[in-house]
């Protein structure tokens, strides 16, 4: 027995017939070749649609759950991260900076293995941001992963340091010489405070802050070339050259002060466009110490 049909289904207009079957065949009355869109397809306020067809047996289904379209799904995927995620990212960056300082300052000893949980307890955080920071240091070549134990500080050799100095010279000396010919003297004078910051850190014997100030000075000089890729490569090489050597003694105070003084001398040569002195200072600066 055919189930009863609700209003608006089956014969919806006088003389109209619709047969709902597996083939969904419908016959409209003569003279009316269009389907009323207001009746067969409605758009709700939320953007969803009622079904325009019929179920088997002629019963129109009720309102269907709204499914987000592709644009809405894309917008959902592009939603900003949660506040918790941002905080965790910030913690990882802070831990990374702290570990880099500990490496340069000799608190993390070459050849020693450090676990993420132990370092996390030391810094008052969970092991997760420490592990993420250590993985970044592994990419930079400062540590290596020891399965089931933690991370070992890489034991670097004088030969590695010499190789880094050679590569840095190959990249930076030509750039420095080009800048010496093209950059106005006033621009070089603007970098005096950065050179003075390295001297102040050296005078205090603050190895970690000196390393940071040294990188800031070199980044500022190279940034005048307007090449972001050059800055990224040069900064990575510079940072690698600052990791401690195997059983290296602390850098003597006098060596650090002399190294810092070369920054001011370099600015003087750049302002004077004295190309031979610029080249000599840059090469000596790279090989004079591991800063």
């Amino acid at each position: 027995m055919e189930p009863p049909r609700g209003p608006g289904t089956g014969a919806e207009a006088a003389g109209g017939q619709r047969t709902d079957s597996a083939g969904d065949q419908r016959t409209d009355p003569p003279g009316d070749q269009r389907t009323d869109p207001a009746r067969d397809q409605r758009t709700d306020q939320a953007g969803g649609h009622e079904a325009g067809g019929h179920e088997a047996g002629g019963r129109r289904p009720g309102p269907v759950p709204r499914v987000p379209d592709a644009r809405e799904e894309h917008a959902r995927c592009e939603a900003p991260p949660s506040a918790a995620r941002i905080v965790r990212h910030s913690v990882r960056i802070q831990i990374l900076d702290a570990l880099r300082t500990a490496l340069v300052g000799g608190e993390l000893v070459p050849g020693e293995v450090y676990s993420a949980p132990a370092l996390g307890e030391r810094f008052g955080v969970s092991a997760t941001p420490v592990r993420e920071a250590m993985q970044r240091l592994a990419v930079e070549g400062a540590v290596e992963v020891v399965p089931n134990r933690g991370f070992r500080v890489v034991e670097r050799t004088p030969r590695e340091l010499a190789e880094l100095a050679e590569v840095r010279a190959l990249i930076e000396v030509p750039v420095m010489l080009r800048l010496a010919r093209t950059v106005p003297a006033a621009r070089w004078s603007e970098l005096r405070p950065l050179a003075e910051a390295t001297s102040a850190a050296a005078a205090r014997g603050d190895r970690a802050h000196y390393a940071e100030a040294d990188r800031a000075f070199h980044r500022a000089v190279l940034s005048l070339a307007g090449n972001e890729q050059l800055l990224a490569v040069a900064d990575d090489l510079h940072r690698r050259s600052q990791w401690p050597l195997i059983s290296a003694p602390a850098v003597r105070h006098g060596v650090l002060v002399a190294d810092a003084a070369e920054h001011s001398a370099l600015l003087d040569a750049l302002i004077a466009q004295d190309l031979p002195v610029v080249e000599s200072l840059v090469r000596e600066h790279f090989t004079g110490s591991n800063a």
Side-chain angles (χ1 to χ4, degrees):
M1 179 175 179
E2 184 177 283
R5 303 188 180 206
T9 62
E12 294 188 314
Q17 272 190 331
R18 296 192 181 186
T19 303
D20 295 319
S21 62
D24 194 22
Q25 298 177 353
R26 301 180 183 182
T27 304
D28 291 322
D32 184 9
Q33 300 298 326
R34 295 181 301 170
T35 302
D36 184 358
R39 183 173 60 239
D40 287 344
Q41 187 174 16
R42 297 184 178 90
T43 304
D44 60 20
Q45 292 180 352
H49 299 281
E50 288 186 1
H54 300 257
E55 291 179 345
R59 188 182 303 275
R60 183 186 298 274
V64 297
R66 179 174 175 273
V67 178
D69 59 22
R71 288 173 298 180
E72 292 173 296
E73 290 294 342
H74 177 73
R76 182 180 301 173
C77 292
E78 294 296 323
S82 64
R85 188 174 182 181
I86 293 175
V87 170
R88 184 168 66 249
H89 177 73
S90 175
V91 170
R92 181 181 67 82
I93 295 299
Q94 293 178 49
I95 295 300
L96 179 59
D97 290 341
L99 289 173
R100 283 171 172 165
T101 299
L103 278 166
V104 174
E107 296 178 51
L108 298 181
V109 182
E112 293 292 324
V113 177
Y114 298 89
S115 70
L119 288 173
E121 184 176 353
R122 171 178 172 180
F123 290 116
V125 298
S126 69
T128 298
V130 175
R131 190 174 292 109
E132 292 173 347
M134 278 294 198
Q135 288 169 349
R136 175 59 191 173
L137 290 175
V139 173
E140 295 178 358
V143 302
E144 56 187 8
V145 178
V146 180
N148 302 320
R149 293 185 60 193
F151 301 85
R152 177 186 290 113
V153 179
V154 172
E155 297 179 309
R156 298 176 56 249
T157 64
R159 178 174 179 176
E160 291 177 73
L161 185 61
E163 291 173 349
L164 285 167
E166 181 180 4
V167 175
R168 289 183 67 194
L170 289 172
I171 293 175
E172 295 192 36
V173 167
V175 176
M176 294 279 194
L177 294 176
R178 175 165 59 86
L179 292 176
R181 292 190 293 266
T182 58
V183 175
R187 295 296 303 275
W188 296 123
S189 296
E190 294 173 359
L191 303 186
R192 288 289 185 189
L194 295 176
E196 292 168 358
T198 64
S199 295
R204 297 193 306 268
D206 191 335
R207 180 88 171 94
H209 280 87
Y210 176 79
E212 183 179 346
D214 186 41
R215 288 198 313 275
F217 174 82
H218 283 268
R219 279 197 305 269
V221 171
L222 294 177
S223 68
L224 297 178
N227 189 325
E228 294 296 329
Q229 300 304 315
L230 168 68
L231 281 178
V233 172
D235 194 59
D236 179 66
L237 291 170
H238 195 167
R239 190 184 296 279
R240 289 172 184 266
S241 71
Q242 293 176 330
W243 304 138
L245 300 176
I246 297 175
S247 303
V251 178
R252 295 192 308 274
H253 182 265
V255 172
L256 209 59
V257 170
D259 193 77
E262 291 176 356
H263 294 139
S264 294
L266 176 61
L267 288 179
D268 291 338
L270 289 167
I271 291 172
Q273 295 186 328
D274 192 335
L275 303 188
V277 173
V278 168
E279 181 173 359
S280 175
L281 282 171
V282 174
R283 293 186 185 278
E284 290 177 6
H285 186 68
F286 291 161
T287 59
S289 70
N290 63 330

